[in-house]
Amino acid sequence: MTTPSLPAHAGSCTLVGAGPGDPELLTLKAVKAIQAATVLLVDDLVSDAIVALARPGARVVHVGKRGGCKSTPQAFIEKLMLTAVQEGETVVRLKGGDPFIFGRGGEEVEHLRAAGVPVQVVNGITAGLAGMTQLGAPLTHREHAHGVVFITGHNKPGNQGTDWRQLAATARDARLTLVIYMGVTGCAHIQEELLTGLPAHTPAVVIQHVSLPQQRHAVTTLGQLQSTITREGLASPSVIVIGDVVRGIQAVAHGEDAAAPVAGTRSRAV
């Protein structure tokens, strides 16, 4: 199959990870790309402070995609990217978090490369990592977690979805931290399935608006996860972290030993 050729005056395209929202968490490479762009296609979760880094005169197009809200079709976003490159623009596709972690960056790269467009990707800090770091706790720990799984709680329509029971058993046996994105809406089902393999007292935390001034969180247990979300009024965008590493948040907050067992449900929003 012959790769299409671009016009001689064609521009360029870079997928840039904007991180969880705090502009100080951007990489230097991300800032340089944003400032060089003539066209920015911006995700809904990218903060205004980051968009403000764009050069004067740059065209900013908001192409929001959020669960439960009116979204810009993916095919339309990809068409905008390709058209702008063909018109000679320096295009930045500005994506929340990291382009290659639940950002559909892989699909966009494939589409552009199929059209003969070379693409660069600049990584960003993903919310699951940033959220726990903001709270002073790790995702892995020699005593508590030998690895971490990033997984989505929202599946493609028609997709069978995650086998949460199998994942629970694997997390238990391999001592893994679970970081669930887009899991608030389906939390009741996820909790029920995970409880088949993980004990109800497994520590958990829900972190909303990671790294932003309005960030808040609630520490709880797997057995009380859904009731905590309801009681605290937590909603998207949030990440859910489940595993023994969550003990570290309680240790920071209360000056306790992080290796001590969790005593019942302890929920706190800040």
Side-chain angles (χ1 to χ4, degrees), residues 26-116:
L26 289 170
T27 65
L28 291 174
K29 193 169 186 177
V31 172
K32 290 178 181 178
I34 293 168
Q35 292 176 337
T38 59
V39 174
L40 294 99
L41 304 178
V42 182
D43 269 352
D44 207 29
L45 293 178
V46 176
S47 68
D48 292 341
I50 290 176
V51 177
L53 296 172
R55 64 196 282 184
R59 182 157 58 99
V60 177
V61 182
H62 292 276
V63 286
K65 294 182 71 65
R66 293 182 65 176
C69 303
K70 185 177 181 180
S71 297
T72 306
Q74 183 66 27
F76 182 69
I77 295 173
E78 292 169 358
K79 182 178 180 180
L80 286 177
M81 295 166 69
L82 180 57
T83 300
V85 171
Q86 292 172 334
E87 291 174 348
E89 304 284 1
T90 301
V91 179
V92 160
R93 174 74 169 102
L94 196 53
K95 306 175 74 66
D98 184 274
F100 281 173
I101 297 183
F102 307 124
R104 301 188 72 169
E107 297 173 40
E108 293 174 354
V109 167
E110 290 169 1
H111 178 81
L112 290 166
R113 287 177 177 166

Side-chain angles (χ1 to χ4, degrees), residues 161-180:
T162 300
D163 186 339
W164 294 104
R165 296 189 177 207
Q166 180 61 56
L167 181 61
T170 302
R172 179 195 64 220
D173 296 342
R175 301 184 68 184
L176 304 176
T177 302
L178 301 182
V179 181
I180 305 172

Side-chain angles (χ1 to χ4, degrees), residues 138-149 166-179 197-199 202 242-245 247 258-259:
L139 286 177
T140 63
H141 190 292
R142 288 194 300 174
E143 300 297 326
H144 304 302
H146 298 163
V148 58
V149 175
Q166 180 61 56
L167 181 61
T170 302
R172 179 195 64 220
D173 296 342
R175 301 184 68 184
L176 304 176
T177 302
L178 301 182
V179 181
L198 290 170
T202 303
I242 300 170
D244 285 342
V245 293
R247 302 178 196 274

